[in-house]
PDB file of all heavy atoms in Angstrom:
ATOM      1  N   TYR A 226       2.235  11.143   7.393  1.00  0.00           N
ATOM      2  CA  TYR A 226       1.476  11.103   8.640  1.00  0.00           C
ATOM      3  C   TYR A 226       0.739   9.773   8.706  1.00  0.00           C
ATOM      4  O   TYR A 226       0.825   8.966   7.803  1.00  0.00           O
ATOM      5  CB  TYR A 226       0.461  12.260   8.672  1.00  0.00           C
ATOM      6  CG  TYR A 226       1.079  13.630   8.609  1.00  0.00           C
ATOM      7  CD1 TYR A 226       1.500  14.171   7.401  1.00  0.00           C
ATOM      8  CD2 TYR A 226       1.260  14.376   9.769  1.00  0.00           C
ATOM      9  CE1 TYR A 226       2.085  15.435   7.343  1.00  0.00           C
ATOM     10  CE2 TYR A 226       1.832  15.637   9.724  1.00  0.00           C
ATOM     11  CZ  TYR A 226       2.240  16.160   8.507  1.00  0.00           C
ATOM     12  OH  TYR A 226       2.804  17.393   8.455  1.00  0.00           O
ATOM     13  N   GLY A 227      -0.057   9.573   9.711  1.00  0.00           N
ATOM     14  CA  GLY A 227      -0.904   8.394   9.738  1.00  0.00           C
ATOM     15  C   GLY A 227      -1.347   8.032  11.137  1.00  0.00           C
ATOM     16  O   GLY A 227      -0.767   8.456  12.130  1.00  0.00           O
ATOM     17  N   THR A 228      -2.400   7.236  11.183  1.00  0.00           N
ATOM     18  CA  THR A 228      -2.905   6.661  12.423  1.00  0.00           C
ATOM     19  C   THR A 228      -2.954   5.153  12.205  1.00  0.00           C
ATOM     20  O   THR A 228      -3.671   4.680  11.315  1.00  0.00           O
ATOM     21  CB  THR A 228      -4.305   7.213  12.755  1.00  0.00           C
ATOM     22  OG1 THR A 228      -4.210   8.639  12.880  1.00  0.00           O
ATOM     23  CG2 THR A 228      -4.827   6.615  14.048  1.00  0.00           C
ATOM     24  N   LEU A 229      -2.176   4.428  12.998  1.00  0.00           N
ATOM     25  CA  LEU A 229      -2.066   2.975  12.853  1.00  0.00           C
ATOM     26  C   LEU A 229      -2.506   2.320  14.147  1.00  0.00           C
ATOM     27  O   LEU A 229      -1.885   2.547  15.196  1.00  0.00           O
ATOM     28  CB  LEU A 229      -0.642   2.599  12.466  1.00  0.00           C
ATOM     29  CG  LEU A 229      -0.256   3.218  11.106  1.00  0.00           C
ATOM     30  CD1 LEU A 229       0.690   4.366  11.285  1.00  0.00           C
ATOM     31  CD2 LEU A 229       0.285   2.170  10.194  1.00  0.00           C
ATOM     32  N   THR A 230      -3.557   1.526  14.076  1.00  0.00           N
ATOM     33  CA  THR A 230      -4.188   0.991  15.271  1.00  0.00           C
ATOM     34  C   THR A 230      -4.448  -0.507  15.138  1.00  0.00           C
ATOM     35  O   THR A 230      -4.984  -0.963  14.125  1.00  0.00           O
ATOM     36  CB  THR A 230      -5.536   1.713  15.512  1.00  0.00           C
ATOM     37  OG1 THR A 230      -5.318   3.116  15.528  1.00  0.00           O
ATOM     38  CG2 THR A 230      -6.176   1.292  16.825  1.00  0.00           C
ATOM     39  N   ARG A 231      -4.052  -1.250  16.155  1.00  0.00           N
ATOM     40  CA  ARG A 231      -4.331  -2.693  16.300  1.00  0.00           C
ATOM     41  C   ARG A 231      -3.856  -3.536  15.112  1.00  0.00           C
ATOM     42  O   ARG A 231      -4.497  -4.494  14.710  1.00  0.00           O
ATOM     43  CB  ARG A 231      -5.824  -2.933  16.554  1.00  0.00           C
ATOM     44  CG  ARG A 231      -6.333  -2.327  17.823  1.00  0.00           C
ATOM     45  CD  ARG A 231      -7.792  -2.690  18.114  1.00  0.00           C
ATOM     46  NE  ARG A 231      -8.675  -2.442  16.985  1.00  0.00           N
ATOM     47  CZ  ARG A 231      -9.348  -1.318  16.780  1.00  0.00           C
ATOM     48  NH1 ARG A 231      -9.250  -0.328  17.616  1.00  0.00           N
ATOM     49  NH2 ARG A 231     -10.150  -1.199  15.732  1.00  0.00           N
ATOM     50  N   ASN A 232      -2.692  -3.204  14.562  1.00  0.00           N
ATOM     51  CA  ASN A 232      -2.106  -3.985  13.468  1.00  0.00           C
ATOM     52  C   ASN A 232      -1.098  -4.970  14.032  1.00  0.00           C
ATOM     53  O   ASN A 232      -0.513  -4.745  15.085  1.00  0.00           O
ATOM     54  CB  ASN A 232      -1.414  -3.040  12.478  1.00  0.00           C
ATOM     55  CG  ASN A 232      -2.387  -2.054  11.882  1.00  0.00           C
ATOM     56  OD1 ASN A 232      -3.258  -2.426  11.124  1.00  0.00           O
ATOM     57  ND2 ASN A 232      -2.248  -0.786  12.258  1.00  0.00           N
ATOM     58  N   THR A 233      -0.873  -6.067  13.313  1.00  0.00           N
ATOM     59  CA  THR A 233       0.155  -7.033  13.669  1.00  0.00           C
ATOM     60  C   THR A 233       1.248  -6.959  12.610  1.00  0.00           C
ATOM     61  O   THR A 233       0.967  -7.145  11.431  1.00  0.00           O
ATOM     62  CB  THR A 233      -0.424  -8.461  13.742  1.00  0.00           C
ATOM     63  OG1 THR A 233      -1.468  -8.475  14.720  1.00  0.00           O
ATOM     64  CG2 THR A 233       0.652  -9.458  14.131  1.00  0.00           C
ATOM     65  N   LEU A 234       2.473  -6.650  13.041  1.00  0.00           N
ATOM     66  CA  LEU A 234       3.600  -6.456  12.123  1.00  0.00           C
ATOM     67  C   LEU A 234       4.685  -7.457  12.491  1.00  0.00           C
ATOM     68  O   LEU A 234       5.394  -7.267  13.468  1.00  0.00           O
ATOM     69  CB  LEU A 234       4.137  -5.030  12.248  1.00  0.00           C
ATOM     70  CG  LEU A 234       3.124  -3.928  11.950  1.00  0.00           C
ATOM     71  CD1 LEU A 234       2.550  -3.365  13.219  1.00  0.00           C
ATOM     72  CD2 LEU A 234       3.762  -2.857  11.112  1.00  0.00           C
ATOM     73  N   LEU A 235       4.810  -8.521  11.722  1.00  0.00           N
ATOM     74  CA  LEU A 235       5.770  -9.591  12.042  1.00  0.00           C
ATOM     75  C   LEU A 235       6.540 -10.039  10.801  1.00  0.00           C
ATOM     76  O   LEU A 235       5.993 -10.051   9.701  1.00  0.00           O
ATOM     77  CB  LEU A 235       5.042 -10.793  12.641  1.00  0.00           C
ATOM     78  CG  LEU A 235       4.282 -10.542  13.948  1.00  0.00           C
ATOM     79  CD1 LEU A 235       3.432 -11.753  14.305  1.00  0.00           C
ATOM     80  CD2 LEU A 235       5.260 -10.211  15.059  1.00  0.00           C
ATOM     81  N   GLY A 236       7.796 -10.408  10.993  1.00  0.00           N
ATOM     82  CA  GLY A 236       8.587 -11.040   9.936  1.00  0.00           C
ATOM     83  C   GLY A 236       8.985 -10.137   8.806  1.00  0.00           C
ATOM     84  O   GLY A 236       9.365 -10.625   7.735  1.00  0.00           O
ATOM     85  N   ASN A 237       8.934  -8.815   8.983  1.00  0.00           N
ATOM     86  CA  ASN A 237       9.352  -7.904   7.936  1.00  0.00           C
ATOM     87  C   ASN A 237      10.879  -7.759   7.984  1.00  0.00           C
ATOM     88  O   ASN A 237      11.463  -7.672   9.059  1.00  0.00           O
ATOM     89  CB  ASN A 237       8.662  -6.548   8.117  1.00  0.00           C
ATOM     90  CG  ASN A 237       7.155  -6.695   7.985  1.00  0.00           C
ATOM     91  OD1 ASN A 237       6.647  -6.938   6.902  1.00  0.00           O
ATOM     92  ND2 ASN A 237       6.449  -6.588   9.088  1.00  0.00           N
ATOM     93  N   ALA A 238      11.537  -7.726   6.813  1.00  0.00           N
ATOM     94  CA  ALA A 238      13.000  -7.798   6.737  1.00  0.00           C
ATOM     95  C   ALA A 238      13.700  -6.716   7.542  1.00  0.00           C
ATOM     96  O   ALA A 238      14.718  -6.961   8.154  1.00  0.00           O
ATOM     97  CB  ALA A 238      13.448  -7.760   5.286  1.00  0.00           C
ATOM     98  N   ARG A 239      13.162  -5.503   7.576  1.00  0.00           N
ATOM     99  CA  ARG A 239      13.794  -4.401   8.316  1.00  0.00           C
ATOM    100  C   ARG A 239      13.033  -4.061   9.590  1.00  0.00           C
ATOM    101  O   ARG A 239      13.184  -2.967  10.117  1.00  0.00           O
ATOM    102  CB  ARG A 239      13.904  -3.172   7.437  1.00  0.00           C
ATOM    103  CG  ARG A 239      14.928  -3.316   6.340  1.00  0.00           C
ATOM    104  CD  ARG A 239      15.210  -1.981   5.717  1.00  0.00           C
ATOM    105  NE  ARG A 239      16.116  -2.102   4.601  1.00  0.00           N
ATOM    106  CZ  ARG A 239      16.337  -1.135   3.738  1.00  0.00           C
ATOM    107  NH1 ARG A 239      15.734   0.024   3.847  1.00  0.00           N
ATOM    108  NH2 ARG A 239      17.182  -1.329   2.752  1.00  0.00           N
ATOM    109  N   GLY A 240      12.219  -4.961  10.060  1.00  0.00           N
ATOM    110  CA  GLY A 240      11.491  -4.718  11.303  1.00  0.00           C
ATOM    111  C   GLY A 240      10.108  -4.150  11.052  1.00  0.00           C
ATOM    112  O   GLY A 240       9.676  -3.965   9.914  1.00  0.00           O
ATOM    113  N   ALA A 241       9.419  -3.877  12.136  1.00  0.00           N
ATOM    114  CA  ALA A 241       8.040  -3.429  12.054  1.00  0.00           C
ATOM    115  C   ALA A 241       7.907  -2.000  11.548  1.00  0.00           C
ATOM    116  O   ALA A 241       7.073  -1.708  10.695  1.00  0.00           O
ATOM    117  CB  ALA A 241       7.374  -3.561  13.425  1.00  0.00           C
ATOM    118  N   TRP A 242       8.723  -1.090  12.082  1.00  0.00           N
ATOM    119  CA  TRP A 242       8.534   0.339  11.835  1.00  0.00           C
ATOM    120  C   TRP A 242       9.828   0.978  11.325  1.00  0.00           C
ATOM    121  O   TRP A 242      10.900   0.720  11.839  1.00  0.00           O
ATOM    122  CB  TRP A 242       8.166   1.049  13.137  1.00  0.00           C
ATOM    123  CG  TRP A 242       6.971   0.483  13.803  1.00  0.00           C
ATOM    124  CD1 TRP A 242       6.983  -0.431  14.826  1.00  0.00           C
ATOM    125  CD2 TRP A 242       5.619   0.760  13.524  1.00  0.00           C
ATOM    126  NE1 TRP A 242       5.692  -0.731  15.190  1.00  0.00           N
ATOM    127  CE2 TRP A 242       4.825  -0.003  14.414  1.00  0.00           C
ATOM    128  CE3 TRP A 242       4.976   1.586  12.613  1.00  0.00           C
ATOM    129  CZ2 TRP A 242       3.445   0.035  14.405  1.00  0.00           C
ATOM    130  CZ3 TRP A 242       3.587   1.629  12.618  1.00  0.00           C
ATOM    131  CH2 TRP A 242       2.845   0.859  13.500  1.00  0.00           C
ATOM    132  N   GLU A 243       9.684   1.881  10.357  1.00  0.00           N
ATOM    133  CA  GLU A 243      10.767   2.760   9.927  1.00  0.00           C
ATOM    134  C   GLU A 243      10.141   4.130   9.711  1.00  0.00           C
ATOM    135  O   GLU A 243       9.405   4.326   8.738  1.00  0.00           O
ATOM    136  CB  GLU A 243      11.409   2.226   8.658  1.00  0.00           C
ATOM    137  CG  GLU A 243      12.628   2.980   8.236  1.00  0.00           C
ATOM    138  CD  GLU A 243      13.331   2.385   7.026  1.00  0.00           C
ATOM    139  OE1 GLU A 243      13.038   1.213   6.667  1.00  0.00           O
ATOM    140  OE2 GLU A 243      14.166   3.074   6.445  1.00  0.00           O
ATOM    141  N   ILE A 244      10.376   5.034  10.647  1.00  0.00           N
ATOM    142  CA  ILE A 244       9.753   6.347  10.593  1.00  0.00           C
ATOM    143  C   ILE A 244      10.838   7.400  10.510  1.00  0.00           C
ATOM    144  O   ILE A 244      11.667   7.533  11.403  1.00  0.00           O
ATOM    145  CB  ILE A 244       8.843   6.568  11.823  1.00  0.00           C
ATOM    146  CG1 ILE A 244       7.733   5.492  11.837  1.00  0.00           C
ATOM    147  CG2 ILE A 244       8.232   7.975  11.776  1.00  0.00           C
ATOM    148  CD1 ILE A 244       6.835   5.528  13.032  1.00  0.00           C
ATOM    149  N   SER A 245      10.836   8.161   9.438  1.00  0.00           N
ATOM    150  CA  SER A 245      11.837   9.202   9.203  1.00  0.00           C
ATOM    151  C   SER A 245      11.712  10.309  10.233  1.00  0.00           C
ATOM    152  O   SER A 245      10.602  10.668  10.634  1.00  0.00           O
ATOM    153  CB  SER A 245      11.617   9.788   7.799  1.00  0.00           C
ATOM    154  OG  SER A 245      12.393  10.952   7.623  1.00  0.00           O
ATOM    155  N   PRO A 246      12.845  10.893  10.657  1.00  0.00           N
ATOM    156  CA  PRO A 246      12.787  12.040  11.552  1.00  0.00           C
ATOM    157  C   PRO A 246      12.025  13.216  10.948  1.00  0.00           C
ATOM    158  O   PRO A 246      11.519  14.079  11.664  1.00  0.00           O
ATOM    159  CB  PRO A 246      14.257  12.411  11.776  1.00  0.00           C
ATOM    160  CG  PRO A 246      15.027  11.209  11.412  1.00  0.00           C
ATOM    161  CD  PRO A 246      14.224  10.478  10.380  1.00  0.00           C
ATOM    162  N   SER A 247      11.913  13.270   9.621  1.00  0.00           N
ATOM    163  CA  SER A 247      11.195  14.363   8.962  1.00  0.00           C
ATOM    164  C   SER A 247       9.718  14.018   8.676  1.00  0.00           C
ATOM    165  O   SER A 247       9.039  14.768   7.989  1.00  0.00           O
ATOM    166  CB  SER A 247      11.898  14.752   7.671  1.00  0.00           C
ATOM    167  OG  SER A 247      12.005  13.637   6.808  1.00  0.00           O
ATOM    168  N   ALA A 248       9.249  12.899   9.216  1.00  0.00           N
ATOM    169  CA  ALA A 248       7.821  12.540   9.091  1.00  0.00           C
ATOM    170  C   ALA A 248       7.015  13.436  10.036  1.00  0.00           C
ATOM    171  O   ALA A 248       7.525  13.942  11.029  1.00  0.00           O
ATOM    172  CB  ALA A 248       7.608  11.079   9.429  1.00  0.00           C
TER     173      ALA A 248
END
Side-chain angles (χ1 to χ4, degrees):
Y226 299 80
T228 301
L229 298 106
T230 307
R231 297 185 309 268
N232 300 292
T233 301
L234 301 99
L235 299 171
N237 297 290
R239 289 193 184 167
W242 304 97
E243 187 175 345
I244 300 176
S245 169
S247 58

